[in-house]
Amino acid sequence: MSYYFLLDIAIILLSTKLLGLFTRRIAMPQVVGALLAGLILGPAGFNLLHETDFLVQVSEVGVIILMFSAGLETDISELKKTGTASFLVAVLGVVVPLIGGFLAAAIFNTGTNAMLQNVFIGVILTATSVSITVETLKELGKLSSRSGNIILGAALIDDVLGIIALTVVMGMAQGDVNIWLVMFKIVAFFVLSGVIGYFFHKQFDNWMRKSKIDRRRFSIIAFAFCLIYSFIAEEVFGVADITGAFVAGLMIAKTVRCTYVTHRIDTLGYLFFTPVFFASIGLKAVIPEMNGDIILFSVLIVLIAILSKIIGCGLGAKLCKLPNISALRIGVGMICRGEVALIIATKGVSAGLMKEEFFTPIIIMVIITTIITPILLKIVYKDRGHEIVYAEDPLAERLQNRDHCEV
Amino acid sequence: MSYYFLLDIAIILLSTKLLGLFTRRIAMPQVVGALLAGLILGPAGFNLLHETDFLVQVSEVGVIILMFSAGLETDISELKKTGTASFLVAVLGVVVPLIGGFLAAAIFNTGTNAMLQNVFIGVILTATSVSITVETLKELGKLSSRSGNIILGAALIDDVLGIIALTVVMGMAQGDVNIWLVMFKIVAFFVLSGVIGYFFHKQFDNWMRKSKIDRRRFSIIAFAFCLIYSFIAEEVFGVADITGAFVAGLMIAKTVRCTYVTHRIDTLGYLFFTPVFFASIGLKAVIPEMNGDIILFSVLIVLIAILSKIIGCGLGAKLCKLPNISALRIGVGMICRGEVALIIATKGVSAGLMKEEFFTPIIIMVIITTIITPILLKIVYKDRGHEIVYAEDPLAERLQNRDHCEV
């Protein structure tokens, strides 16, 4: 057995924390530092660290913990209030990038099958990766703001729409995937989650109330439940595991010992798993062989990725009569693409739906949107504007305070 | 990517906790329940769980966290007081099992190269796996007792003696390992650790004193230091990684925010890593093809493994004029063999130093000593006898209290 994985973890922990503290000092979110750590150490930088099976699996647990923690901190009654807004933001935030990506690809890619291939580039641009935004909003203490809640809700719906779009395109290409079955499974997942959530929340809450003190078993069972739910979402219903983790978090949110559980889950995250997740995004980057067309395509796809979400999601927010500043914040919060876009792209290459030369521009797009989102978020949230902040939520308030003092 | 590893972890977390609570209810340490969980779920039981690369690496981090945590809770000045006793316990606790294992093997194994092969069986019996004992003593609140400290110190020295014995036998078999270089590296590791420890402890303590509050970075840097030290111990000095983790813990013990750091490390352990470690020991068990000789050998080797440590270590304790009850406790605390014995056995098979048919008895020996140690420990610690308990140590006291209330 090789012990180098211990060194990998140690290097990731130290470098993400060090660069995180540095970026915070220059008034950028710590998350940017963590991403830069991966870029600098990985193949695109000093080539000291590489993706291993272990790091991939640890980073998968990392993103699950991140989304579970986001669920634990989400006030579902607040999310319900933002329902219509989230839905409109999500739908327009999927349609506009889909068209934008299609048009950009159509300029560079012609020939047989080009139509479907170009639609596929559009599909890659639809999936928002909300984890970076969640982490940044937590840092800024704005996760419980109205725009924060709309972003969370929209990202959830966006995820589902992205899965549907991917399924439809894959189905059109292969002709052997039953689209209606896939759609049925997605609907079944959310219906079942509602039913399970209703009973589990009550049972778990009652069980915890029987004890007068905090007990390790509460955290252990909550975390095991999250892992099982993520697994079932992915393997049984074909929904992303991170969606399962988020929903599991929602089910446990607002139970009597939720604060205790959230603290323990957060410790598990920051002390091992989430730094690996953020660093591993940077590790995916390689310096590609570039020609003029690919460079042009890269620039175009990055611009469209950024603008299409700001315009699409912003439009959705404006349709709900939100003020301009909120529409901008929501649009910016949805810019970030991440692992979902990369997973879709990988699937596309192996299914012959995407030319390999387009893979590097997609990676560049993911990295730039990931780095730029926290920076832009910080800028647009600087002026508080007319934003409603739900500071009366005690959990959110406590988490905000903690993020300020205990870093 | 397969997502079954999420389910594996969830099953391990739930089963170890459930069986742990059950064994506690019937007045046995929780650790026994965790081991039984692995046995029941693994190939020897319902065959639901198997060792994977991921589980092996997670359980490696688990045992590192366990030993790091043990180091953090160890009072080095107390360990120094037990120096002579620990040394005598360790030396006699290595010599007696070495002779016992050799004699047992000599009955069943004759022919060419039998001499060295039989010595090798003796070597396997030398290595105490202190992690189960540490966990049990923590649960019993006896880790800071005089016998607890002697056991910890002896296990540390025992580890080194085991490595030397293994190196000598491997060297005799292969003729290409420089024994003096290996010995030099081991000595160099401990000398260097003394020097690094002296400076690091001071620097780390001063750095933490500059901050008025607990900060995440303290835990992150402490844990990263532990991982790096484990790695260097293993890869550079040829000392076991768990020895490195323990020494790293000693270096950070008694610093100003050690309590905060210890809590965070413990959370990381019980919420993910240590359950996997304990379960994975059970997962190693398979039901072997048995014949009369192998059954006899298995029974004999288990008896010798247990008695040789009680007699050897107990004799060492008596030489230091400890009361009978303490000698018995120390002997019992050193019975447990674990991953080190399995690693040595695996190396032996691949080097042609051990017949494959002896591998199953060794696994049986490891499992029985692992299960029997916490049960016997609980029995011999029931009567407090004349034992000195260092309850004035505030960290140990707090940890003892925590283990009683927060389970």
Side-chain angles (χ1 to χ4, degrees):
Chain A
M1 183 166 137
S2 163
Y3 292 85
Y4 277 86
F5 72 102
L6 301 174
L7 196 63
D8 288 351
I9 298 287
I11 289 172
I12 288 174
L13 289 178
L14 289 178
S15 61
T16 52
K17 192 67 202 171
L18 214 74
L19 278 163
L21 291 174
F22 169 74
T23 50
R24 203 172 62 140
R25 184 157 291 186
I26 59 170
M28 284 205 291
Q30 292 201 54
V31 142
V32 176
L35 289 169
L36 285 175
L39 272 175
I40 292 169
L41 293 169
F46 290 105
N47 208 13
L48 291 170
L49 263 185
H50 302 92
E51 278 204 304
T52 63
D53 286 349
F54 183 68
L55 289 184
V56 168
Q57 287 171 306
V58 167
S59 87
E60 193 64 34
V61 177
V63 67
I64 285 173
I65 288 175
L66 218 51
M67 294 308 292
F68 183 50
S69 173
L72 286 173
E73 290 167 38
T74 302
D75 188 342
I76 189 124
S77 58
E78 200 42 59
L79 204 62
K80 273 182 201 155
K81 278 187 219 157
T82 68
T84 321
S86 290
F87 190 74
L88 275 171
V89 167
V91 170
L92 282 165
V94 162
V95 171
V96 177
L98 189 63
I99 297 170
F102 170 75
L103 292 176
I107 301 171
F108 292 90
N109 184 35
T110 49
T112 49
N113 271 330
M115 175 76 188
L116 212 56
Q117 285 178 3
N118 298 340
V119 172
F120 192 80
I121 298 284
V123 171
I124 293 173
L125 291 195
T126 62
T128 287
S129 167
V130 79
S131 47
I132 302 276
T133 299
V134 165
E135 192 64 16
T136 311
L137 289 181
K138 266 171 78 173
E139 244 184 279
L140 296 172
K142 294 291 192 300
L143 192 57
S144 308
S145 69
R146 190 170 179 196
S147 51
N149 275 288
I150 292 175
I151 291 170
L152 268 179
L156 197 68
I157 301 162
D158 174 288
D159 193 16
V160 177
L161 295 176
I163 291 163
I164 295 171
L166 174 69
T167 317
V168 171
V169 177
M170 297 281 276
M172 276 159 68
Q174 297 169 5
D176 65 332
V177 176
N178 188 333
I179 294 163
W180 296 109
L181 178 66
V182 173
M183 302 267 277
F184 171 76
K185 278 162 100 178
I186 292 170
V187 173
F189 173 77
F190 284 99
V191 171
L192 202 72
S193 294
V195 177
I196 291 175
Y198 180 79
F199 289 102
F200 181 78
H201 179 91
K202 234 175 190 169
Q203 288 299 318
F204 198 60
D205 195 53
N206 284 340
W207 179 60
M208 290 199 284
R209 277 180 201 280
K210 281 186 194 151
S211 170
K212 276 184 196 126
I213 52 166
D214 292 328
R215 284 177 191 275
R216 289 182 173 188
R217 65 191 74 161
F218 302 149
S219 312
I220 291 171
I221 286 174
F223 185 52
F225 178 74
C226 157
L227 290 174
I228 291 171
Y229 219 78
S230 306
F231 172 79
I232 289 176
E234 183 78 45
E235 293 282 334
V236 180
F237 293 96
V239 177
D241 56 347
I242 52 175
T243 305
F246 182 75
V247 171
L250 287 182
M251 293 185 192
I252 293 167
K254 302 274 158 190
T255 52
V256 61
R257 299 205 183 269
C258 183
T259 308
Y260 168 79
V261 170
T262 308
H263 263 169
R264 296 302 171 279
I265 298 294
D266 279 351
T267 300
L268 195 62
Y270 78 76
L271 203 48
F272 198 93
F273 291 98
T274 48
V276 175
F277 168 64
F278 289 118
S280 72
I281 295 177
L283 290 184
K284 283 187 212 296
V286 286
I287 293 169
E289 270 183 66
M290 283 298 202
N291 63 47
D293 264 15
I294 290 296
I295 293 173
L296 262 179
F297 179 68
S298 303
V299 173
L300 192 63
I301 209 78
V302 169
L303 284 177
I304 287 177
I306 295 169
L307 292 176
S308 63
K309 280 284 179 187
I310 295 182
I311 294 168
C313 300
L315 215 61
K318 283 308 290 177
L319 283 179
C320 299
K321 301 198 171 56
L322 272 106
N324 288 333
I325 181 72
S326 298
L328 184 63
R329 285 169 180 174
I330 291 166
V332 167
M334 301 286 286
I335 289 174
C336 183
R337 315 301 202 283
E339 63 294 342
V340 182
L342 292 173
I343 290 166
I344 294 178
T346 316
K347 277 188 183 166
V349 171
S350 63
L353 270 170
M354 200 177 92
K355 291 184 178 168
E356 272 197 54
E357 63 208 69
F358 289 154
F359 197 64
T360 301
I362 295 298
I363 294 179
I364 293 173
M365 180 277 290
V366 168
I367 290 170
I368 291 183
T369 55
T370 307
I371 289 183
I372 215 173
T373 303
I375 298 171
L376 291 180
L377 269 178
K378 185 129 189 179
I379 294 169
V380 296
Y381 270 99
K382 213 164 210 170
D383 169 34
R384 287 178 72 97
H386 304 289
E387 183 86 41
I388 303 164
V389 178
Y390 301 101
E392 71 273 17
D393 173 13
L395 177 62
E397 201 174 28
R398 190 193 44 68
L399 283 161
Q400 285 165 24
N401 290 337
R402 185 210 55 193
D403 279 332
H404 282 179
C405 66
E406 191 201 286
V407 181
Chain B
M1 181 167 140
S2 164
Y3 291 84
Y4 277 87
F5 72 101
L6 301 175
L7 197 63
D8 288 351
I9 299 286
I11 290 172
I12 288 173
L13 288 178
L14 290 178
S15 60
T16 51
K17 193 68 204 172
L18 215 72
L19 278 163
L21 291 175
F22 169 74
T23 49
R24 203 173 63 140
R25 184 156 289 185
I26 58 171
M28 284 205 291
Q30 292 202 53
V31 141
V32 176
L35 289 169
L36 285 176
L39 272 175
I40 292 169
L41 293 169
F46 290 105
N47 207 13
L48 292 170
L49 263 186
H50 302 92
E51 277 203 307
T52 62
D53 286 349
F54 183 67
L55 289 183
V56 168
Q57 287 171 306
V58 168
S59 86
E60 194 62 34
V61 177
V63 66
I64 285 173
I65 288 175
L66 219 51
M67 294 308 293
F68 183 49
S69 173
L72 286 173
E73 291 166 38
T74 303
D75 188 342
I76 188 123
S77 58
E78 201 42 60
L79 204 62
K80 273 182 202 154
K81 278 186 218 157
T82 68
T84 321
S86 289
F87 189 75
L88 275 171
V89 167
V91 170
L92 283 165
V94 161
V95 171
V96 177
L98 188 63
I99 297 171
F102 169 76
L103 292 177
I107 301 171
F108 293 89
N109 185 35
T110 49
T112 50
N113 272 331
M115 176 73 187
L116 211 56
Q117 286 177 4
N118 299 340
V119 172
F120 192 80
I121 298 286
V123 171
I124 294 173
L125 291 196
T126 62
T128 288
S129 168
V130 79
S131 46
I132 303 276
T133 298
V134 165
E135 191 64 15
T136 311
L137 290 181
K138 267 171 79 174
E139 244 184 280
L140 297 173
K142 295 290 191 299
L143 193 57
S144 307
S145 68
R146 191 170 180 195
S147 52
N149 275 289
I150 292 175
I151 291 170
L152 268 179
L156 197 68
I157 300 163
D158 175 287
D159 193 14
V160 176
L161 295 177
I163 292 164
I164 295 171
L166 174 69
T167 317
V168 172
V169 178
M170 296 282 275
M172 276 158 68
Q174 298 170 4
D176 65 332
V177 176
N178 188 333
I179 294 163
W180 295 110
L181 179 65
V182 172
M183 302 266 278
F184 171 76
K185 279 161 99 179
I186 292 169
V187 173
F189 173 77
F190 285 99
V191 172
L192 202 70
S193 294
V195 177
I196 290 176
Y198 180 78
F199 290 102
F200 181 78
H201 180 91
K202 235 176 191 170
Q203 289 298 319
F204 198 59
D205 195 54
N206 286 340
W207 179 61
M208 289 199 285
R209 277 180 201 280
K210 280 186 194 151
S211 170
K212 276 184 194 125
I213 52 166
D214 292 329
R215 284 176 191 276
R216 289 181 174 188
R217 63 192 74 162
F218 301 150
S219 313
I220 291 170
I221 287 175
F223 184 52
F225 178 74
C226 156
L227 291 174
I228 292 171
Y229 219 80
S230 307
F231 172 80
I232 290 176
E234 183 79 45
E235 293 282 335
V236 180
F237 292 95
V239 177
D241 56 347
I242 52 175
T243 305
F246 181 74
V247 170
L250 287 181
M251 293 184 192
I252 294 168
K254 302 273 158 190
T255 52
V256 61
R257 298 205 185 269
C258 183
T259 307
Y260 168 80
V261 170
T262 308
H263 264 169
R264 296 303 171 279
I265 298 294
D266 279 352
T267 301
L268 195 62
Y270 78 75
L271 203 47
F272 198 93
F273 291 98
T274 47
V276 176
F277 168 65
F278 290 118
S280 72
I281 295 177
L283 291 183
K284 283 189 212 296
V286 286
I287 294 169
E289 271 183 65
M290 283 298 203
N291 62 47
D293 264 15
I294 289 297
I295 293 174
L296 263 180
F297 180 68
S298 301
V299 173
L300 192 64
I301 208 80
V302 168
L303 284 176
I304 286 177
I306 295 170
L307 292 176
S308 64
K309 280 284 179 188
I310 295 182
I311 293 168
C313 300
L315 213 63
K318 284 308 291 176
L319 284 180
C320 298
K321 300 196 170 57
L322 273 105
N324 287 334
I325 180 72
S326 297
L328 183 64
R329 285 170 180 175
I330 290 166
V332 167
M334 301 287 285
I335 288 175
C336 182
R337 316 299 203 283
E339 63 294 343
V340 182
L342 292 173
I343 291 167
I344 294 178
T346 316
K347 277 189 183 163
V349 170
S350 62
L353 269 170
M354 199 177 93
K355 291 183 177 169
E356 273 199 55
E357 64 207 71
F358 289 153
F359 196 62
T360 300
I362 295 298
I363 294 180
I364 293 173
M365 180 276 290
V366 167
I367 290 170
I368 291 182
T369 55
T370 305
I371 289 183
I372 214 171
T373 302
I375 299 171
L376 292 180
L377 270 178
K378 185 127 188 180
I379 294 168
V380 296
Y381 270 99
K382 214 164 210 170
D383 169 34
R384 287 178 71 97
H386 304 289
E387 182 88 38
I388 302 165
V389 178
Y390 301 102
E392 71 274 15
D393 174 12
L395 176 62
E397 201 172 29
R398 190 192 45 68
L399 283 161
Q400 286 166 23
N401 290 337
R402 185 210 55 191
D403 279 334
H404 283 180
C405 67
E406 192 201 285
V407 181

